[in-house]
């Protein structure tokens, strides 16, 4: 069984927000809707403090709080771990927006574009009208994954089958792959490095892992 997951190496991320821009470009999300964010935080206690940049988005949880509250079954989880939204079934009630412990969901406004009420060339090409006035979030670029798999490509290895943010990262801080495959890039990264997941206590089993330090016995 496959379980797609994302890994962010917090030792490498420089907070440039290229992934944020790549997501905006790839998905033509409207103003105020950020499927990818990069938080700028301070960790430690003075004088031993450090700045860290934390890429955030939908965590494609094992037990998604958004699925449990959706009254129309618009939000579902696939067997490969990707949490999807059927825009035709979504009634825009925003229960899921409130329930998500990661603030990953946004209700999209009606017909707003980056520079007013007319789409840019990219928005006209990529914007999906079905996505207006409904709940939206990071999809792990599921269309790229599915079409890549159909072509025999490997998500996380071949760019055409990999989420846009991972391809765009200037620091190779982001990785994507199958954590059920012990030889995958993400499994190898998790095996060699200390890692954590955000809001683990919420019990949602996030599919987004953060590397923070090297394991002492790693080679
Ligand atoms: S991060 Fe939020 S929107 Fe994404 S699967 Fe988990 S609960 Fe749902
Ligand atoms: S593109 Fe890479 S380095 Fe830049 S903010 Fe995103 S994750 Fe960090």
């Amino acid at each position: 069984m496959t379980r797609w997951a994302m890994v962010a190496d917090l030792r490498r991320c420089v907070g440039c927000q290229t992934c944020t821009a790549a997501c905006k470009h790839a998905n033509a999300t409207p103003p105020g809707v950020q499927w990818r964010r990069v938080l700028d935080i301070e960790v430690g206690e003075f004088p031993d403090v450090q700045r860290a940049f934390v890429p955030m988005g939908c965590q494609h949880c094992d037990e998604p709080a958004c699925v449990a509250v959706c009254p129309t079954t618009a939000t579902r989880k696939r067997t490969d771990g990707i949490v999807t939204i059927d825009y035709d079934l979504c009634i825009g009630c925003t229960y899921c927006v409130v329930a998500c412990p990661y603030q990953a969901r946004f209700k999209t406004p009606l017909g707003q574009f980056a520079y007013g009420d007319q789409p840019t060339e990219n928005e006209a090409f990529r914007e999906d009208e079905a996505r207006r006035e409904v709940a939206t979030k990071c999809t792990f670029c599921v269309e790229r994954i599915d079409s890549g798999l159909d072509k025999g490509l490997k998500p996380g290895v071949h760019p055409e089958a990999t989420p846009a943010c991972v391809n765009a990262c200037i620091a190779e801080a982001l990785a994507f792959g199958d954590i059920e495959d012990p030889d995958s890039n993400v499994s190898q990264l998790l095996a060699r490095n200390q890692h954590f997941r955000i809001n683990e206590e919420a019990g949602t089993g996030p599919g987004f892992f953060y590397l923070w330090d090297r394991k002492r016995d790693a080679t």
Side-chain angles (χ1 to χ4, degrees):
M1 191 73 91
T2 297
R3 192 341 179 177
W4 300 118
M6 197 167 284
V7 172
D9 189 339
L10 301 187
R11 303 160 305 185
R12 299 190 68 93
C13 178
V14 294
C16 66
Q17 304 274 359
T18 304
C19 53
T20 308
C23 177
K24 276 259 159 212
H25 176 79
N27 297 295
T29 52
V33 174
Q34 260 186 292
W35 291 358
R36 161 55 49 85
R37 289 171 291 148
V38 181
L39 307 182
D40 182 344
I41 62 170
E42 209 173 76
V43 285
E45 248 177 72
F46 180 83
D48 192 16
V49 289
Q50 205 180 331
R51 200 166 167 202
F53 304 102
V54 186
M56 290 284 294
C58 174
Q59 314 274 311
H60 294 271
C61 304
D62 287 330
E63 301 288 340
C66 52
V67 171
V69 299
C70 179
T72 67
T73 68
T75 291
R76 290 177 221 149
K77 192 181 80 161
R78 304 196 332 178
T79 51
D80 60 6
I82 295 180
V83 175
T84 59
I85 304 171
D86 183 330
Y87 302 127
D88 288 335
L89 287 180
C90 179
I91 54 172
C93 66
T94 69
Y95 287 0
C96 57
V97 176
V98 178
C100 172
Y102 302 92
Q103 299 174 347
R105 287 185 167 237
F106 299 81
K107 183 175 175 182
T108 43
L110 188 62
Q112 278 181 25
F113 301 97
Y115 299 102
D117 56 9
Q118 292 304 315
T120 62
E121 200 175 320
N122 181 58
E123 285 170 327
F125 181 62
R126 296 176 193 267
E127 198 245 352
D128 179 357
E129 283 190 24
R131 249 176 24 201
R132 294 181 188 177
E133 292 221 292
V134 291
T136 66
K137 65 170 190 67
C138 157
T139 64
F140 267 179
C141 288
V142 66
E143 296 87 1
R144 297 169 71 92
I145 293 168
D146 288 346
S147 68
L149 287 169
D150 285 347
K151 293 176 191 161
L153 303 175
K154 199 164 187 177
V157 175
H158 298 108
E160 201 183 325
T162 300
C165 56
V166 177
N167 289 337
C169 179
I170 62 159
E172 294 186 7
L174 296 173
F176 183 81
D178 177 11
I179 48 167
E180 291 295 321
D181 172 3
D183 296 325
S184 72
N185 52 352
V186 285
S187 294
Q188 292 293 315
L189 282 170
L190 295 177
R192 285 200 212 103
N193 298 282
Q194 288 182 19
H195 54 271
F196 65 92
R197 296 185 290 180
I198 291 177
N199 280 355
E200 193 127 33
E201 63 281 8
T204 56
F208 204 135
F209 297 80
Y210 295 88
L211 308 185
W212 186 236
D213 215 344
R214 189 167 291 279
K215 276 186 179 162
R216 226 180 267 273
D217 56 354
T219 51

